[in-house]
Amino acid sequence: MSQKKEPTGPDLRTGIPLKEIPEGGSLIGHAGEDEVLLIRSGGAVFAVSPHCTHYHGPLSEGLVGGGSVRCPWHHACFDLRTGEALRAPAIDPISCWNVELNDGVVVVKDKRPLSKAARRRADNREPDKIVIVGGGAAGFAAAEMLRRKGFQKNVLMISGDPALPYDRPNLSKDYLAGAIPFKFVPLRDDEFYKTNNIETRVGVSALRLNAHSREIFLSDGGKVAYDSLLLATGAEPIHLDIPGADQPYVHVLRSLADCEAIISDAKVARRVVVIGASFIGLEVAAALRQRKLEVHVVAPDKVPMARILGQELGLFVRSLHEENGVVFHLEDKATSIGDRMVRLENGGSVEADLVVVGIGVRPRLELAEKAGIVLDHGIAVDQYLETTVSHVYAAGDIARWPDPHSGQSIRVEHWVVAERQGQTAAINMMGHKEQFNAVPFFWSQHYDVPINYVGHAESWDKIEVDGDPMKKDCLVRYLRNGRVAAVASIYRDLDSLKAEVAMESTKTS
Ligand SMILES: Cc1cc2nc3c(=O)[nH]c(=O)nc-3n(C[C@H](O)[C@H](O)[C@H](O)COP(=O)(O)OP(=O)(O)OC[C@H]3O[C@@H](n4cnc5c(N)ncnc54)[C@H](O)[C@@H]3O)c2cc1C
Ligand code: FES
């Protein structure tokens, strides 16, 4: 028999004294069976759901300010008045309750209806048809935002992937580890696209773009016309070019189909060799250790991830994986794969009945390149995410944008950035002029240890470490030209959020 959950904290419907919540502070109680987070900020008291709608992060541990609360886990942000998810990775709003203040007592009243898509008339200045090429992070977030903002006209999303948009980061984490069921993988069910009148064509690729006639030619022989177009074609894994790399038990990991193929082999495999100590490679190593496989990692690096995270965090990552039973073959390379054996440059070999290659990705630029759109190691876009061809926007892994914080044109491969760019592009395709100025953020998860990273530092002059990575408690600052270009952290979520806020106000261009 399932046990009834005890309500958390005080009953907020009977009220609590205002003085029990300090300015800028919060308190968790309940209203009936619902947990409710009271937040006192800017002279007002807000009552909202305490759980982030992304992965249920605890908003009570987040950062409050400017009428919003930021989630400590992956930096989503919610409007405290409406509950709207202002920043990805959360897409759904949080619940809000009406609050009354009577004689210094805060009383939580009715739950308000969830924040919904804006209702408005179709605007004649808006394009009649918006086409999105790509059904990943950026493509999905763009389609959702168009409808959230009340765009009334046609939206078509074309995706080469046969599956509707899904949670790609989970493919190297909990889903690969077998820790969550498939139902958590799709970003939305089929019904969402029907209800929101988002036409989808999955398993169909855009082969050619004619930017003059504003037409796209598809792999199924069809062609579609657009008024505004979003390119969100993402990146594809680099394949290993060594003898034997084409065997069926050698995999890359980008799509859901790739992930299912790895899971299917992992169910009967005993030993896996992961080639590449990238984020994806090492997340795969962690996930497959959770499936009790013997895991070997082969990589040319001296210290895994040191190029991105620096020596200190790199050494921690290595020791974390070693503690969990991963065997590293560093400063070495795979030279051939054959007879269930990976041969190494230094003369050794490792048996493997499953090989996963994680040696980086390449942005998918062919469509843009052939259409004459200017490239710059990615698709060059302006601050509104428009390419050099008018009415054609680009977002996500393919886009190189002028980052006002670093003063550089940058391209990153982060889930949250892709979603936020998709959202900004959507708003601009509707005819607005919103600059993309989010500070880049990514996270990575290895066993129970999350690593959060805000900002952008391809190189640095100096690293400052607060705390101790080996104790899984640290904040690492990457300084360039005397300013903090990026911050990585382990279990220092509030500091990471504060660093994000500080970077948002820093502009070098
Ligand atoms: C396994 C894995 C785990 C990850 N984990 C993290 C993480 O923890 N944190 C993080 O910040 N980032 C993570 N990333 C990176 C993140 O997923 C990407 O940065 C993000 O998905 C980029 O979004 P996108 O929309 O640009 O591209 P994608 O999500 O790759 O979507 C591109 C879409 O375009 C489609 N497409 C491509 N070409 C065409 C065409 N010609 N016609 C039609 N459709 C086309 C593809 O099929 C795909 O659906 C991970 C990536 C992988 C693969
Ligand atoms: S759980 Fe809140 S942003 Fe991920």
Side-chain angles (χ1 to χ4, degrees), residues 200-239:
T200 56
R201 290 209 201 159
V202 293
V204 177
S205 291
L207 298 182
R208 193 164 68 79
L209 156 66
N210 184 332
H212 299 288
S213 62
R214 298 202 197 165
E215 286 172 316
I216 305 165
F217 298 83
L218 306 176
S219 59
D220 63 1
K223 107 182 147 175
V224 289
Y226 66 85
D227 295 301
S228 285
L229 172 69
L230 176 63
L231 297 176
T233 47
E236 62 201 342
I238 296 173
H239 287 258

Side-chain angles (χ1 to χ4, degrees), residues 169-445:
N170 241 324
L171 304 184
S172 52
K173 303 180 185 68
D174 285 353
Y175 185 60
L176 182 62
I180 54 162
F182 178 75
K183 68 174 183 185
F184 293 121
V185 175
L187 292 174
R188 285 289 185 282
D189 59 14
D190 301 9
E191 204 47 44
F192 165 83
Y193 301 94
K194 284 194 198 117
T195 317
N196 285 282
N197 197 17
I198 296 169
E199 190 190 343
T200 56
R201 290 209 201 159
V202 293
V204 177
S205 291
L207 298 182
R208 193 164 68 79
L209 156 66
N210 184 332
H212 299 288
S213 62
R214 298 202 197 165
E215 286 172 316
I216 305 165
F217 298 83
L218 306 176
S219 59
D220 63 1
K223 107 182 147 175
V224 289
Y226 66 85
D227 295 301
S228 285
L229 172 69
L230 176 63
L231 297 176
T233 47
E236 62 201 342
I238 296 173
H239 287 258
L240 198 60
D241 188 17
I242 58 171
D246 54 353
Q247 300 188 68
Y249 64 97
V250 181
H251 300 270
V252 290
L253 176 54
R254 182 75 192 183
S255 64
L256 178 58
D258 295 336
C259 180
E260 299 289 13
I262 296 172
I263 291 173
S264 157
D265 278 7
K267 284 184 180 156
V268 290
R270 192 177 60 81
R271 185 186 277 196
V272 57
V273 170
V274 174
I275 300 181
S278 58
F279 281 107
I280 302 242
L282 291 183
E283 288 186 351
V284 167
L288 296 182
R289 281 301 296 140
Q290 282 166 262
R291 283 187 181 265
K292 307 276 179 252
L293 267 75
E294 211 180 295
V295 177
H296 291 249
V297 174
V298 177
D301 320 56
K302 200 167 182 179
V303 176
M305 290 188 186
R307 200 175 48 79
I308 297 164
L309 296 177
Q311 187 83 355
E312 294 81 352
L313 274 184
L315 287 171
F316 159 70
V317 168
R318 187 176 79 191
S319 76
L320 174 68
H321 281 275
E322 283 171 343
E323 275 166 27
N324 282 280
V326 171
V327 180
F328 281 100
H329 303 262
L330 295 171
E331 297 183 84
D332 210 345
K333 276 184 180 168
T335 51
S336 66
I337 304 170
D339 304 332
R340 308 262 154 184
M341 184 79 81
V342 177
R343 294 203 161 63
L344 307 181
E345 197 172 63
N346 290 350
S349 57
V350 193
E351 269 180 48
D353 31 29
L354 168 61
V355 175
V356 181
V357 179
I359 55 171
V361 295
R362 198 176 283 126
R364 288 188 179 113
L365 306 173
E366 307 78 33
L367 209 52
E369 188 173 20
K370 285 196 214 142
I373 293 171
V374 170
L375 304 184
D376 171 17
H377 304 286
I379 299 180
V381 293
D382 64 14
Q383 68 269 47
Y384 307 110
L385 304 180
E386 195 166 17
T387 68
T388 50
V389 170
S390 63
H391 306 290
V392 180
Y393 292 76
D397 285 2
I398 52 172
R400 180 172 291 275
W401 82 99
D403 171 38
H405 310 290
S406 60
Q408 299 171 323
S409 272
I410 64 174
R411 188 185 72 77
V412 301
E413 289 150 8
H414 306 345
W415 178 257
V416 169
V417 172
E419 287 186 316
R420 292 178 184 174
Q421 287 189 341
Q423 294 175 331
T424 298
I427 289 166
N428 291 336
M429 286 191 292
M430 287 171 67
H432 301 280
K433 282 276 180 198
E434 184 177 294
Q435 291 194 10
F436 182 74
N437 56 15
V439 170
F441 169 83
F442 78 81
W443 83 96
S444 184
Q445 179 88 25

Side-chain angles (χ1 to χ4, degrees), residues 18-38:
L18 177 64
K19 60 177 187 314
E20 288 189 19
I21 321 167
E23 173 58 35
S26 65
L27 179 148
I28 295 189
H30 68 277
E33 296 199 332
D34 290 322
E35 274 189 289
V36 175
L37 176 67
L38 280 184

Side-chain angles (χ1 to χ4, degrees), residues 28-29 34-39 46-53 56-60 69 78 80 83 93-97 111 114:
I28 295 189
D34 290 322
E35 274 189 289
V36 175
L37 176 67
L38 280 184
I39 295 178
F46 304 94
V48 297
S49 158
H51 305 292
C52 175
T53 55
H56 290 271
L59 297 180
S60 56
V69 57
F78 299 93
L80 286 171
I94 49 172
S95 299
C96 296
W97 282 260
K111 194 180 197 170
L114 282 177

